[in-house]
Amino acid sequence: MDSKTTVITGGSSGLGLETARHLVELGQSVVLVGRDEARTRAAADSLAALALAGSNATPPRTYTADLEQWSQARFLATKLTADGVPVDVLINNAGAAFPRYQQTADGVERTYAINHHAPFLLTHALLAERALTDEARIINMSSFVEKRGKLDANDPDVAGTSWGNRFYNQPNVYATSKLVSLLAARELARRLPDGMSMYSANPGMVKGTAINSNAGGLMWLTAPLFTPFATPIEEGVKTPVWLASALPPPQPSGGYFTKSKADMPSRLAQDDALARRVYEKTAALLGIEPFKK
């Protein structure tokens, strides 16, 4: 059995680790990326005995990167390439929501840096390095809360800095960062080489993840109210696992998926002209040459 190699950011816990667990059991080779070297290594060690008998899967590998920093996202791509890691599947899972307005060293709002810039940068850097295989699948972890996104369609803010001059509502900032990421993914899918696929996966409201508990602020305070309606983490990972492993590759590329089937995101998320503006503005912000098919 041939083994695919899947790189998962935010892979040391929560949805990332559970997704990795399922993919290892399916015979895939998994690479976990996390901010904390010891935690990420421990996560990989916990998966080592799960490889499917008869597969060619290699033991889980780890890389350390703080994807809030643009330089580390770029370095991760360079390191994966230098180490000869063939990326068949890239799952951009790392995410965060911060309780107050803060800028990174790169001069952008922190939530946007992790939820939008990191997947955009890592994906494009791997494309530039030719580290993605010819039939690679790129999966961005999205969220149904993108429907709450507050985005000016005429002048979309892709850096998040406008939140420094308006009321900083944590759930809305998080939602808008997911909306701009969803739009950029929609446009990138149109530009990818034939054979590659791009997906946005909505895991739903999931128990047992750290997004609310680590967020602080309003999201931490309100999380207990939604717990009775949340699904187990095993349910939340079904969609990204399916997108990463289903044969033939799910369609459409560029689509938004919930419960392992194509779903309809918000009206703004379906605006192709807005998707192009968000994509091009993000590329300019990050100093990336827009990808051309």
Side-chain angles (χ1 to χ4, degrees):
M1 180 183 295
D2 292 332
S3 174
K4 299 292 186 183
T5 298
T6 296
V7 174
I8 305 175
T9 67
S12 64
S13 64
L15 283 169
L17 179 55
E18 189 64 22
T19 298
R21 189 182 313 282
H22 283 260
L23 292 176
V24 169
E25 290 174 343
L26 289 173
Q28 291 198 14
S29 297
V30 168
V31 176
L32 300 181
V33 179
R35 287 185 303 166
D36 184 286
E37 183 177 0
R39 286 184 61 203
T40 309
R41 183 68 258 165
D45 290 344
S46 74
L47 304 176
L50 299 178
L52 184 68
S55 78
N56 294 322
T58 59
R61 300 173 65 177
T62 64
Y63 288 80
T64 305
D66 180 357
L67 296 177
E68 182 179 311
Q69 301 177 45
W70 295 352
S71 61
Q72 292 210 23
R74 292 188 177 100
F75 179 76
L76 174 60
T78 300
K79 188 75 171 101
L80 288 166
T81 305
D83 290 348
V85 177
V87 184
D88 297 297
V89 182
L90 171 63
I91 302 181
N92 289 306
N93 168 74
F98 298 98
R100 63 189 65 85
Y101 183 81
Q102 293 175 290
Q103 286 190 6
T104 70
D106 298 301
V108 297
E109 194 277 326
R110 292 182 72 195
T111 307
Y112 279 59
I114 296 179
N115 296 342
H116 176 41
H117 305 153
F120 194 102
L121 252 178
L122 181 56
T123 300
H124 283 76
L126 289 171
L127 282 165
E129 297 275 8
R130 300 187 182 277
L132 293 169
T133 59
D134 290 344
E135 296 183 351
R137 305 182 193 189
I138 304 154
I139 303 165
N140 284 0
M141 294 304 293
S142 189
S143 173
F144 64 95
V145 301
E146 62 85 15
K147 294 178 173 64
R148 290 187 56 169
K150 307 295 182 183
L151 189 66
D152 182 348
N154 296 312
D155 185 23
D157 171 22
V158 298
T161 51
S162 62
W163 292 103
N165 300 316
R166 52 179 166 153
F167 177 64
Y168 188 90
N169 177 288
Q170 183 190 32
N172 287 348
V173 175
Y174 176 74
T176 310
S177 73
K178 288 295 188 179
L179 173 59
V180 291
S181 184
L182 183 54
L183 283 159
R186 183 182 184 92
E187 176 62 15
L188 177 57
R190 193 179 66 80
R191 297 169 181 248
L192 285 174
D194 293 339
M196 291 188 187
S197 303
M198 178 92 212
Y199 307 112
S200 294
N202 166 34
M205 189 182 301
V206 182
K207 298 176 185 176
T209 66
I211 184 66
N212 287 322
S213 59
N214 288 349
L218 186 59
M219 290 178 68
W220 176 77
L221 287 172
T222 58
L225 300 176
F226 299 103
T227 299
F229 308 101
T231 59
I233 195 168
E234 294 82 2
E235 291 294 319
V237 301
K238 283 185 175 179
T239 298
V241 168
W242 174 72
L243 289 169
S245 60
L247 292 174
Q251 294 296 324
S253 178
Y256 172 82
F257 291 81
T258 304
K259 295 183 177 179
S260 302
K261 61 183 180 181
D263 196 5
M264 295 290 285
S266 65
R267 177 185 57 79
L268 275 180
Q270 299 175 61
D271 186 327
D272 288 334
L274 178 58
R276 282 193 296 276
R277 285 197 293 277
V278 165
Y279 177 88
E280 290 168 357
K281 288 192 70 169
T282 303
L285 173 71
L286 300 176
I288 293 172
E289 184 71 24
F291 194 79
K292 295 186 171 96
K293 192 168 183 175

